[in-house]
Amino acid sequence: MKANLITLAALMAVVVWLAMHATLVEWDAVKVVGAMVAGVSLVLLVTARLQLGGSFSVGAKARTLVTTGLYRRIRNPIYVFAALMLVGMAVVLGNWYLLALVAVLTPVQVMRARKEEAILAAAFGEEYERYKVGTWF
């Protein structure tokens, strides 16, 4: 529960900061789309984090196999939506360093996902393999 609250507080701080600076953005159609991508991704990121619940950990652990909600179709929705949120923010802010950050973080997240996958496969065996077949990343 404490980790959920910390995660939500950090994400809400980002939202508040962005809202306070929205008037500084010279809005056009591309930036509106970027804001929509960032906003939807943030909502889905928070949803994925809440759906993971007590199974969340900074280091890879196999507590329970979460296969419902967003995890029904995406094995790592937190990674996916965090990257999409950064891309949307980069478009809105015109800050291409955020895209560089995504380019650096993506291989790191893929490596983390593979490590988590190995731990989950060892812990849940055939159940995890069946789950993997119907999901993406």
Side-chain angles (χ1 to χ4, degrees), residues 53-68:
S55 294
F56 176 79
S57 66
V58 176
K61 296 178 185 172
R63 294 184 179 136
T64 57
L65 182 58
V66 178
T67 61
T68 59

Side-chain angles (χ1 to χ4, degrees), residues 36-108:
M36 290 171 58
V37 167
V40 169
S41 296
L42 175 64
V43 169
L44 292 172
L45 172 69
V46 170
T47 300
R49 177 61 189 84
L50 291 172
Q51 289 174 347
L52 195 54
S55 294
F56 176 79
S57 66
V58 176
K61 296 178 185 172
R63 294 184 179 136
T64 57
L65 182 58
V66 178
T67 61
T68 59
L70 294 170
Y71 291 87
R72 176 178 277 180
R73 297 287 175 230
I74 306 172
R75 289 189 302 277
N76 298 285
I78 292 174
Y79 298 157
V80 170
F81 296 120
L84 286 172
M85 185 180 75
L86 287 174
V87 169
M89 289 172 57
V91 171
V92 170
L93 300 173
N95 184 335
W96 305 114
Y97 292 114
L98 286 174
L99 287 181
L101 179 62
V102 172
V104 169
L105 285 178
T106 297
V108 172

Side-chain angles (χ1 to χ4, degrees), residues 15-33:
V15 169
V16 168
W17 183 86
L18 288 172
M20 289 172 39
H21 293 85
T23 57
L24 302 175
V25 174
E26 294 181 28
W27 292 97
D28 60 20
V30 172
K31 289 184 180 183
V32 169
V33 170

Side-chain angles (χ1 to χ4, degrees), residues 75-76 79-80 83 102-118 136-137:
R75 289 189 302 277
N76 298 285
Y79 298 157
V80 170
V102 172
V104 169
L105 285 178
T106 297
V108 172
Q109 299 296 49
V110 168
M111 287 187 302
R112 286 186 66 180
R114 287 182 180 156
K115 181 179 178 182
E116 292 168 2
E117 182 174 300
W136 173 75
F137 183 69

